[in-house]
Amino acid sequence: MKWRDWDINLKVRLLGEGANNLLFWMFFPFMAIYFSQSFGKEMAGLLLVATQFISVVLGLVGGYCADHFGRKRMMVLSTLGQGITFIFFALANSPWYSSPVLTFISFTVLGLCGNFYWPASHAMVADVVDAKHRNHIFAVFYTSINISVVLGPIIGGFLFFSARFALLAACVLTSFAVAAVLQLFVHETAPVRKKVVAEETAKWTRYVLNQLSDYKVIAKDRLFLLFILAGVLVAQTFMQLDLLIAVYANDKVPTQTIIHLGNWSLQAGGSKIFSWLVSENGFLVALLTVLMTKWMGRYKERSVFIGSCLFYGVSMLVMSVSVNIWILFLSIVLFTSAELMVVGIQEGFVSKLAPENMRGQYFAASSLRFTIGRMIAPMSIPLTVWMGYSWTFVILALLAFLGAGFYAAMFYQKEKLEVQEEIQIKSVLD
């Protein structure tokens, strides 16, 4: 699908969201460092857990709002809310006033704004793009995000700790500018809703209860339960990039010489090296996603899922043994390889597990791998206080290896059921 064939909504959003994402990645990866320094690691971990819990709960309502109040309206209101929140965020980090508490509140509200924006954003793509072109459009937006992941942390590594107020002030202006552009140039795409006949279908509480009821499939499907448990365990590793790894780099990675050429040398340490690690991850994802997806297609799904867990676990162990920047770069290569191994096959695997008449429920329930994982992951930060960094990385590695064990058990059970089905079919034919 060529650029000239894109709906105006998509063109406007790609540019506006690109600017927003770039600014977002200039401050987001460093928030775990900020909260750890401001509140202590134990409190920071608990606060981040609370933030994720609130986001998960209210995130269930985002889809309801997109369907009932319109895509454009929710996107504009969310972006305006983001701009207003950034005002308080900037104020809490200004030359005249400093408040970690107000910063935390602002950070939490920004997450909530995102929970109301993205369901409408994704739904809009489905509204204006034919099914055969949707993967291409989503891939372009995904690439745009990863470009932001590459550039944002590098720029943020310089600005977040030295010019935070200016950075957040730019976020204020950008958010209001994007909201204005969305209001002026984007058209509503939500289907016209008929008057609701049954009162319960109009209540958001009923919608949330229906969403939660989808998760009952977990208790009924042993294979799917193993898939979810393995996903939650391995999520404790891949969600540490902007949590444990951020705090670890800031606390333990010393200033060191990266390149030395004659009388000139490049030195970096702490948060600046962390920003490079995040950018390395984003660069590798943007560069290698398609290639790795094709490569992994040659192997059995069992080997890919288990191999991904093993790579995640080894990356945690490598990161724990040295603070040398080249060893850290190697650990991120392993970390990103683990991510890319499964990125192209996970959704397809869920569709194979799901009965044809229950695919929507299974896809909804499969997101528990990330929602539960995201709520638990921040506990790694206080864990460093109780057990130290080395043991925390070891525990995360063991969780990844345990996840590999659950995947192995799942595939063993799956193959066992397939053999039983074949025997039943043969007995019927005979």
Side-chain angles (χ1 to χ4, degrees):
M1 188 175 182
K2 296 181 179 179
W3 174 260
R4 66 171 179 266
D5 299 322
W6 282 35
D7 187 280
I8 184 63
N9 285 13
L10 302 178
K11 296 178 180 179
V12 169
R13 282 183 43 223
L14 182 63
L15 298 175
E17 290 174 12
N20 261 345
N21 286 330
L22 181 61
L23 289 168
F24 174 81
W25 282 98
M26 288 184 194
F27 72 86
F28 173 73
F30 308 102
M31 294 309 300
I33 298 173
Y34 174 88
F35 290 136
S36 295
Q37 293 175 340
S38 300
F39 300 111
K41 294 175 186 175
E42 292 173 292
M43 181 58 69
L46 294 174
L47 289 174
L48 290 170
V49 168
T51 297
Q52 294 302 328
F53 177 76
I54 294 170
S55 295
V56 167
V57 172
L58 292 186
L60 293 173
V61 189
Y64 172 90
C65 293
D67 290 338
H68 283 71
F69 305 120
R71 324 298 197 213
K72 175 181 175 178
R73 179 180 295 179
M74 291 310 303
M75 291 167 66
V76 171
L77 289 177
S78 298
T79 309
L80 283 174
Q82 176 179 288
I84 295 170
T85 305
F86 270 126
I87 292 176
F88 292 98
F89 201 164
L91 176 64
N93 293 272
S94 67
W96 316 284
Y97 180 67
S98 178
S99 173
V101 173
L102 183 56
T103 298
F104 172 74
I105 295 172
S106 301
F107 180 71
T108 302
V109 175
L110 284 175
L112 302 183
C113 290
N115 285 333
F116 286 101
Y117 182 94
W118 291 112
S121 171
H122 291 312
M124 182 175 282
V125 173
D127 292 338
V128 301
V129 179
D130 292 337
K132 62 182 179 180
H133 296 304
R134 284 175 194 162
N135 287 344
H136 169 71
I137 299 299
F138 279 122
V140 172
F141 276 88
Y142 184 68
T143 301
S144 172
I145 292 173
N146 279 288
I147 291 173
S148 301
V149 175
V150 174
L151 299 178
I154 294 176
I155 302 171
F158 292 97
L159 297 180
F160 184 83
F161 297 99
S162 60
R164 191 178 307 152
F165 176 70
L167 172 60
L168 295 173
C171 291
V172 173
L173 296 176
T174 302
S175 296
F176 285 128
V178 171
V181 170
L182 291 174
Q183 179 62 36
L184 290 173
F185 296 104
V186 169
H187 57 88
E188 183 57 71
T189 64
V192 178
R193 293 183 57 82
K194 298 179 181 179
K195 290 185 178 180
V196 180
V197 177
E199 182 182 354
E200 66 267 19
T201 60
K203 293 180 179 179
W204 68 269
T205 51
R206 173 62 61 181
Y207 177 87
V208 172
L209 290 174
N210 288 339
Q211 289 278 83
L212 292 174
S213 69
D214 290 343
Y215 299 151
K216 291 180 181 178
V217 298
I218 299 170
K220 301 176 182 178
D221 189 329
R222 185 177 178 184
L223 280 179
F224 196 58
L225 175 60
L226 290 170
F227 178 73
I228 294 296
L229 290 175
V232 171
L233 288 170
V234 76
Q236 300 315 303
T237 56
F238 66 71
M239 290 186 175
Q240 299 303 332
L241 186 59
D242 52 20
L243 293 170
L244 174 64
I245 296 174
V247 179
Y248 174 66
N250 188 68
D251 283 357
K252 296 296 182 179
V253 178
T255 299
Q256 52 195 283
T257 300
I258 314 303
I259 302 174
H260 184 77
L261 296 172
N263 295 326
W264 179 85
S265 64
L266 174 64
Q267 293 187 323
S271 59
K272 191 170 293 184
I273 286 181
F274 166 66
S275 70
W276 294 352
L277 297 178
V278 177
S279 296
E280 178 193 2
N281 173 258
F283 175 75
L284 292 175
V285 169
L287 183 66
L288 300 175
T289 297
V290 175
L291 180 63
M292 281 289 286
T293 299
K294 289 182 179 179
W295 188 21
M296 290 300 107
R298 302 176 182 177
Y299 299 95
K300 293 182 178 180
E301 289 171 326
R302 172 204 289 268
S303 301
V304 176
F305 277 107
I306 294 176
S308 175
C309 293
L310 297 179
F311 267 68
Y312 272 125
V314 172
S315 73
M316 294 292 102
L317 294 177
V318 170
M319 190 162 292
S320 70
V321 300
S322 176
V323 293
N324 179 276
I325 186 170
W326 300 110
I327 299 298
L328 296 176
F329 279 151
L330 172 62
S331 70
I332 294 299
V333 170
L334 296 171
F335 183 94
T336 308
S337 298
E339 176 184 353
L340 294 178
M341 287 174 71
V342 295
V343 70
I345 68 170
Q346 291 183 97
E347 303 307 316
F349 185 75
V350 174
S351 67
K352 291 179 183 178
L353 290 181
E356 189 172 343
N357 63 328
M358 296 181 67
R359 281 180 182 161
Q361 288 180 305
Y362 270 69
F363 275 111
S366 70
S367 65
L368 280 176
R369 292 171 294 154
F370 308 117
T371 53
I372 295 177
R374 194 179 297 118
M375 283 191 290
I376 301 173
M379 289 305 297
S380 64
I381 297 177
L383 195 61
T384 63
V385 177
W386 306 328
M387 305 192 69
Y389 282 106
S390 295
W391 277 109
T392 300
F393 278 115
V394 169
I395 289 171
L396 291 172
L398 291 176
L399 290 177
F401 296 149
L402 184 59
F406 274 103
Y407 278 130
M410 178 192 72
F411 279 102
Y412 173 78
Q413 185 70 20
K414 183 173 181 289
E415 291 170 0
K416 187 177 178 181
L417 290 174
E418 288 173 351
V419 170
Q420 291 176 351
E421 288 177 359
E422 288 180 6
I423 293 174
Q424 290 177 353
I425 293 173
K426 287 182 180 179
S427 63
V428 170
L429 293 176
D430 293 340

